[in-house]
Amino acid sequence: MEGLLSGLPDMLIFIILYGPLAMGIFIMVKLTKWFVIKKDINNRMLLISLVINVLNFYLIYDLMTPSPEVSSGNGNPFIPNILISFLLFISFCIVFSMKIIEILSKKKAWFSLLIIAITIAVTWFSVVSQMEFVLTIKEALYYPLDNWLTWWKSIHLNYLYFNPYTFLLGICISCLVAGILGLSKRKIV
């Protein structure tokens, strides 16, 4: 995909890389306002937000992470995008969790238990897969493992934090929290 972008004008490349981020911020602000005012979450807006977060993860994973053989200059110019993307994803997970709580409040208690069990299994899979991914990167690029939390400084490691496993982990934690809160609300009532 990088070959396709190299022939495009700089402004178009900028729009491709930062457009989904700007649209995601706009939609998350709308979703949050919608929830605060109406106490209900619009399903279409939530789906659009999900698609934008997936697209943003893909852009960081594929386009904003050059291979180690490619010289990329000094530092990581995508740190602002990564920080904003992280905050955008966290806000999406919170709104997603609220939507799941809204759904679970209308279901029976066993459904919440089923959601909790499934998300624990998928969370375990995500954590194990992410740790294997980190070890693979460490071995392929010869980075010391004790330093893996500071790898965000290298542009070659952006996909360490933005990959399918971390995306799935965020969604699962949202569902797990929603399932637990759904059960606790049911016991109080």
Side-chain angles (χ1 to χ4, degrees):
M1 182 100 168
E2 288 132 5
L4 293 173
L5 287 180
S6 62
L8 296 175
D10 290 343
M11 192 52 145
L12 187 58
I13 293 172
F14 182 80
I15 290 170
I16 290 171
L17 293 180
Y18 290 98
L21 189 60
M23 189 183 305
I25 292 169
F26 175 76
I27 288 175
M28 286 310 297
V29 167
K30 287 284 194 190
L31 269 175
T32 306
K33 277 181 166 177
W34 193 303
F35 179 73
V36 169
I37 294 169
K38 295 189 175 186
K39 300 292 185 209
D40 190 20
I41 297 172
N42 186 324
N43 291 337
R44 277 181 269 158
M45 291 287 275
L46 190 65
L47 182 62
I48 291 170
S49 181
L50 174 67
V51 169
I52 287 174
N53 275 288
V54 168
L55 179 63
N56 206 26
F57 263 70
Y58 171 74
L59 288 173
I60 293 171
Y61 183 80
D62 192 38
L63 296 179
M64 297 181 191
T65 307
S67 65
E69 301 86 37
V70 176
S71 176
S72 60
N74 296 329
N76 188 352
F78 297 115
I79 289 175
N81 189 321
I82 289 172
L83 178 64
I84 294 169
S85 297
F86 176 71
L87 294 174
L88 181 66
F89 184 63
I90 294 296
S91 64
F92 168 76
C93 287
I94 290 169
V95 172
F96 182 70
S97 186
M98 286 188 263
K99 181 64 178 179
I100 298 294
I101 291 170
E102 181 185 312
I103 292 170
L104 290 178
S105 67
K106 299 171 186 166
K107 303 286 183 185
K108 296 192 183 277
W110 68 267
F111 193 73
S112 292
L113 290 172
L114 181 66
I115 293 293
I116 291 170
I118 290 171
T119 54
I120 286 174
V122 177
T123 301
W124 176 81
F125 167 77
S126 297
V127 168
V128 168
S129 299
Q130 176 67 12
M131 293 314 294
E132 287 178 12
F133 188 60
V134 168
L135 288 175
T136 302
I137 290 171
K138 179 188 107 35
E139 292 169 4
L141 300 179
Y142 307 110
Y143 279 90
L145 188 60
D146 60 340
N147 245 358
W148 77 278
L149 288 176
T150 61
W151 286 358
W152 59 270
K153 296 175 188 173
S154 172
I155 194 170
H156 302 293
L157 298 171
N158 288 343
Y159 55 65
L160 179 67
Y161 304 106
F162 287 84
N163 58 56
Y165 308 120
T166 56
F167 185 81
L168 190 60
L169 185 64
I171 298 295
C172 286
I173 289 173
S174 298
C175 290
L176 186 63
V177 167
I180 292 169
L181 289 176
L183 268 180
S184 67
K185 283 185 176 184
R186 187 170 297 284
K187 288 181 180 178
I188 292 171
V189 174

